[in-house]
Structures are given as C-alpha cells and as structure tokens.
Amino acid sequence: MASSIKATVFKYYQPATLVVIFAFWSLLPADLASSGWTIVIAAICTKFMILGLEAVNERHAGWRLTRAEFLSDLFYFVIGYTVVRYAVRHGAEPPQFALKDWLGIHTPWLEHAPMIVQVALIMLLIEWGHYWLHRAMHNWHPLWLTHAPHHYVRQLNALKGAVGNPLELFLIGLSVVTLFDFSLTALFCAGHMLGTITSFSHANVRFNPPRWYTAVFTTIEAHSLHHSVEYEDTRCNYSCALILFDRLHGTFRAGEAIEVGQEGRRHMSIRETLVYPFMPVIDWVRGRVTPSPNPLP
Ligand SMILES: [Zn+2]
Ligand SMILES: [Zn+2]
C-alpha cells in the first residue's frame, strides 16, 4: 500500500509541481508577482525541495551528494544568482532592449494575452533558443570551450544544472524573449517553470512520470544520456527542459546513463572550470599547444 502511494506520488510529482507553480504566479498579488525577490526566493525554495527528494527516493547511490560535492555545487549556485545574474541584467539585457527599439518591435497586446498563452510562448521561445545554442556548443569548438565544464560533472543532482563556466551561464541568459512585451509575471512564471524542469532533469530522484510528460518535458533519463562519458554519446537530447525540440529535430535518443563525465570521468576543479574557455589563449601566450580531448570540428 505504502509503496503504491509512493509510486503514484513520484509519477505525478513533476507535472503537479508545474501546475502548482503556474497557480502560484497566477494567484499572487500584483506587487509580489512583479518583484524580483519573489522569483529568486521561490526558485531557491523549489530547488532545495527537489534536492530534499533525493534523500526520499534516490535514483543512484553513486550520485549521492557528499559534503565536498555540495559545497562545490553551492559555489556555482551562488555565482549564478549573483555575478551571472548581474552580468545578464546589466551587460546583456540593455543592448537587447536597444535592438528591440532599433527594430521597432512593439507588441503591447502580448501582455494582455491570457497568462497560460504568455507562459507557453515564453517557454517555447527560450527553449528553442537554448536548443540551438546548446547544439552549437557541441558542434563549434569556441562555444564548446564555454560549455565543456558542465560535462565534467561526475554525478547528477538538482544543483548540477548551475555547474559550469560563468561565460556559458551568461550565454544561456540571452534570449529573444527580450524583444517582446510579455508581462513580468508571465516571464517570472515561465522562468520558474523552466528552471524547475531543468532541476528535475538533473536530479538524483527516481521519478516514473507518465508517458505524455516524457514526450514533452526533459527527464533525468534523457538528460543523463546527454552527460554520457563518451563524447560522441553526448550529441543528443540538447533540450534541458522541453525534449519536444529534440524529437522535432531528430536529435532525441531514448535510454539512460549512470556513469557521467568526460575524459574517463576526470575531475575538473573549480579553478579549471573558471579558466577552461580561455585555455587556448593562455597556452598560446605561454607558447604551448594543448590538443583538444574531443573530436570536434
Ligand atoms: Zn551539453
Ligand atoms: Zn546538464
């Protein structure tokens, strides 16, 4: 009896969470729904709730969070919410808003569209951009250098989505949604939902979602395959939240990986993660040439 209740809970946990997040933003008083602090606090609470699930229904003992791993993950998590967030807000958004004005794009009617329509459009636009950016990162060496550190993680958990070089996290922060006039609440709601799905797709939790959910949203099975140790096996399942795009573009692969990492699961330190994209330049200055570990173009 208890096991069937647990199976039902973990079957519907992911879709139910998305419904709750949508209801939360729809029902929130206007002043709270447009506050930048609300999205930060809500997203952090959701992230740590998913992390707590790992203790309740663990997927792989080998992915269990150690103290050292937690502190390392926490470092990237804090960097993401401070340095990267600041850089996106002040370095990426102003030129995008200027481009919007220069192109003369005005869509004030969008913010009056039903909340569910706005949220769905924002999620599709952001993920469509992320799909192509991520695919480009696996096919063009300069972009791979920014993304590679994320592939050196040797276990998956709810915090791992934020692990990587800040330059990559900055690039992910760019989106065409800034060219449109969506309501701030819809933007926060969509961002909260995408962040939550990305946490689910990295979480060490044994979910057993319904088939309709796995057809649209990215699961830990699909994303763990993207973290495969053999580099060529990582060239699939590029969408971290909406696997729909991989199905549409023919890059979806079914299955699951337990062993994750790169170069035989080599450990990459925080220091190496931070300098990795700049290593070719550093090596060039030092007069060294380091061959790429991966067979990229
Ligand atoms: Zn990747
Ligand atoms: Zn990942």
Side-chain angles (χ1 to χ4, degrees):
M1 181 65 180
S3 64
S4 73
I5 292 173
K6 186 174 181 181
T8 304
V9 167
F10 282 90
K11 181 172 184 177
Y12 294 107
Y13 196 93
Q14 292 171 101
T17 302
L18 299 183
V19 171
V20 168
I21 290 173
F22 182 79
F24 170 78
W25 286 100
S26 300
L27 301 172
L28 211 57
D31 55 339
L32 283 175
S34 57
S35 163
W37 282 106
T38 307
I39 177 65
V40 170
I41 293 167
I44 290 174
C45 288
T46 312
K47 180 87 74 180
F48 280 89
M49 177 196 74
I50 299 169
L51 200 62
L53 288 179
E54 297 185 2
V56 179
N57 200 15
E58 185 177 70
R59 188 166 199 88
H60 302 300
W63 292 358
R64 194 173 298 160
L65 203 51
T66 62
R67 187 169 175 273
E69 197 78 24
F70 175 72
L71 290 175
S72 169
D73 292 350
L74 203 57
F75 169 80
Y76 296 105
F77 186 72
V78 172
I79 289 288
Y81 270 96
T82 53
V83 178
V84 176
R85 199 176 167 83
Y86 183 88
V88 170
R89 175 75 56 85
H90 298 280
E93 290 181 354
Q96 286 177 287
F97 291 139
L99 177 67
K100 177 178 181 293
D101 287 341
W102 185 72
L103 292 172
I105 299 174
H106 298 293
T107 53
W109 45 271
L110 262 177
E111 65 177 319
H112 302 295
M115 173 87 162
I116 194 161
V117 173
Q118 290 192 64
V119 171
L121 280 174
I122 296 165
M123 288 175 73
L124 287 168
L125 279 171
I126 290 178
E127 265 300 282
W128 178 74
H130 282 175
Y131 171 85
W132 285 108
L133 175 62
H134 193 181
R135 192 167 165 175
M137 285 171 168
H138 280 258
N139 287 279
W140 191 44
H141 196 64
L143 279 178
W144 167 252
L145 291 173
T146 70
H147 177 53
H150 180 62
H151 278 272
Y152 280 78
V153 297
R154 298 182 298 171
Q155 58 159 248
L156 294 173
N157 64 58
L159 293 170
K160 283 290 189 287
V163 175
N165 183 275
L167 191 55
E168 183 210 2
L169 303 178
F170 174 81
L171 291 174
I172 290 173
L174 303 171
S175 174
V176 290
V177 291
T178 49
L179 299 179
F180 300 97
D181 300 290
F182 291 105
S183 79
L184 200 53
T185 306
L187 285 165
F188 285 159
C189 179
H192 191 181
M193 289 173 83
L194 288 173
T196 300
I197 302 164
T198 303
S199 297
F200 282 142
S201 69
H202 284 89
N204 182 18
V205 180
R206 193 158 292 281
F207 293 115
N208 55 322
R211 283 183 64 175
W212 64 264
Y213 182 90
T214 64
V216 178
F217 302 102
T218 307
T219 60
I220 178 65
E221 287 97 327
H223 195 65
S224 66
L225 211 55
H226 181 75
H227 276 270
S228 296
V229 178
E230 292 302 321
Y231 175 73
E232 278 305 314
D233 292 337
T234 69
R235 302 175 92 169
C236 66
N237 301 350
Y238 295 112
S239 292
C240 293
L242 299 180
I243 202 73
L244 189 67
F245 287 112
D246 283 282
R247 294 183 186 279
L248 286 173
H249 295 303
T251 48
F252 173 75
R253 264 183 58 204
E256 178 177 5
I258 300 173
E259 297 270 290
V260 297
Q262 284 289 287
E263 287 186 77
R265 305 188 70 231
R266 176 172 79 78
H267 171 67
M268 185 178 277
S269 66
I270 289 178
R271 183 189 160 281
E272 187 181 358
T273 296
L274 296 179
V275 299
Y276 195 84
F278 314 107
M279 282 314 293
V281 175
I282 294 170
D283 286 342
W284 178 73
V285 169
R286 288 175 176 169
R288 286 202 313 251
V289 177
T290 309
S292 166
N294 296 313
L296 275 165

